[in-house]
Amino acid sequence: MQLQPFDRSRYLPTLAAFLLGTACSLHVTIASCDDASAKTSDATEVSEADVVEDGTAELSVAPLSHTIYPPERPGWIDETKARDGDNVQMVVTSGPCVSKSEADEMTKLYARASVQTYVDELIAKQQSTADPAMVPIAEDWIENELIVRRYEGKVLVGDETQHEKAVLLRIQPEHQKRFETAISNVQLQERLAATGIVILGGFGCLVGGSILLGGLASRQRQQTIAKA
C-alpha cells in the first residue's frame, strides 16, 4: 500500500474558519466583561452617591431624642441624692413634658416616691416591722416643708419645645425624727391590733365554750327530768 503525500492546502480553509470563530468568541467575551465592569462601576458610584446623600440628609435633621437644655438651667438639678451635714437632699425632675400641668403632676409624683423610698430605707435601717404604706406622707407637707428649691423652664427635644420642672427636697433632722415617730406609732398600732385579735379570739372561744357547756347542761337536765 502506497501512502499519499500530505496536502496542507486542503485544510487551510478549515483552519482559517476555526481561527476566525475563536477570535470572534474572544472579542464577544471581552466586550461582555467590559460591560459588566462598567455596570458594576456605575452601581458602585450610585450606591456611594446614595450614601453621601443619605448621610447628608441624616445630619441635616436633628434626632428626635436629642435634648437641648437652656443655659440658665441651674446646676443643682444634675446632683444626685447626697447628704449635706445632717440633712438628706434629693433632686426630683419631671423630665420633658408636653405641658406645664403635666410637668407639675410628674414632679409631685416623683417627689412623693422619693420620700417614700427614704421612709422605706429608714424602716429597713431600724429593722422595724412597720408597714411603709401606713406611714403618712402628705403632698402638702412635702410641698411646704421639704422643698427648698424650685425650677421651671423649657427644653428642646428634637424640633419640639417642651416643659421641665425640678425641685430640691431637703430632709432635716427634725423631719427624720417625725418619720421615726410615725414609724414607731405604726408599729405600735400593728402590735395593738395583733394583741386585740388575740384577745378577741380568746373571748370568742370563751363565749363559744360557755354556750356549748350551757347547752350540754340543759340537755342533761332535760334527760334527768324525762327519766324521773
Side-chain angles (χ1 to χ4, degrees):
M1 181 177 180
Q2 186 177 3
L3 296 174
Q4 296 294 331
F6 180 75
D7 188 5
R8 289 180 293 182
S9 62
R10 295 172 55 186
Y11 297 94
L12 289 177
T14 302
L15 180 61
F18 174 77
L19 293 176
L20 181 61
T22 302
C24 292
S25 300
L26 182 61
H27 177 71
V28 171
T29 302
I30 293 173
S32 300
C33 293
D34 291 339
D35 292 339
S37 299
K39 292 179 180 179
T40 303
S41 177
D42 294 340
T44 302
E45 292 176 359
V46 171
S47 177
E48 291 177 353
D50 292 340
V51 170
V52 172
E53 291 178 359
D54 291 342
T56 303
E58 291 178 357
L59 292 176
S60 62
V61 178
L64 296 178
S65 60
H66 185 62
T67 304
I68 300 177
Y69 295 99
E72 64 271 13
R73 188 174 187 259
W76 57 262
I77 296 179
D78 297 325
E79 298 177 0
T80 57
K81 178 181 176 181
R83 281 193 172 272
D84 181 16
D86 295 332
N87 302 325
V88 176
Q89 297 190 159
M90 296 177 289
V91 177
V92 175
T93 61
S94 65
C97 298
V98 295
S99 64
K100 290 184 178 180
S101 60
E102 181 182 354
D104 186 60
E105 290 297 325
M106 296 303 295
T107 304
K108 291 180 179 179
L109 179 64
Y110 292 152
R112 193 184 191 288
S114 297
V115 176
Q116 185 66 61
T117 301
Y118 172 80
V119 172
D120 296 346
E121 294 175 354
L122 195 59
I123 291 176
K125 183 179 179 181
Q126 295 179 355
Q127 297 181 349
S128 173
T129 58
D131 184 3
M134 299 299 295
V135 178
I137 302 176
E139 291 185 358
D140 292 341
W141 182 74
I142 295 176
E143 183 76 16
N144 298 326
E145 295 290 334
L146 300 186
I147 296 178
V148 295
R149 289 184 181 178
R150 307 172 192 271
Y151 166 78
E152 291 185 9
K154 296 180 179 180
V155 296
L156 187 64
V157 181
D159 57 351
E160 181 181 358
T161 300
Q162 298 190 7
H163 302 271
E164 180 191 30
K165 184 174 181 179
V167 295
L168 174 63
L169 293 87
R170 180 177 296 160
I171 300 177
Q172 301 177 14
E174 55 267 27
H175 301 142
Q176 181 175 342
K177 290 180 180 179
R178 176 171 178 171
F179 284 128
E180 291 175 348
T181 302
I183 293 171
S184 299
N185 291 337
V186 170
Q187 189 172 2
L188 179 60
Q189 292 174 6
E190 291 177 348
R191 289 177 179 176
L192 291 176
T195 303
I197 291 174
V198 172
I199 295 175
L200 184 61
F203 179 75
C205 291
L206 180 61
V207 172
S210 300
I211 294 174
L212 179 60
L213 292 175
L216 292 176
S218 177
R219 184 177 180 183
Q220 186 67 29
R221 286 195 302 268
Q222 290 177 0
Q223 291 178 355
T224 302
I225 294 173
K227 289 180 181 180

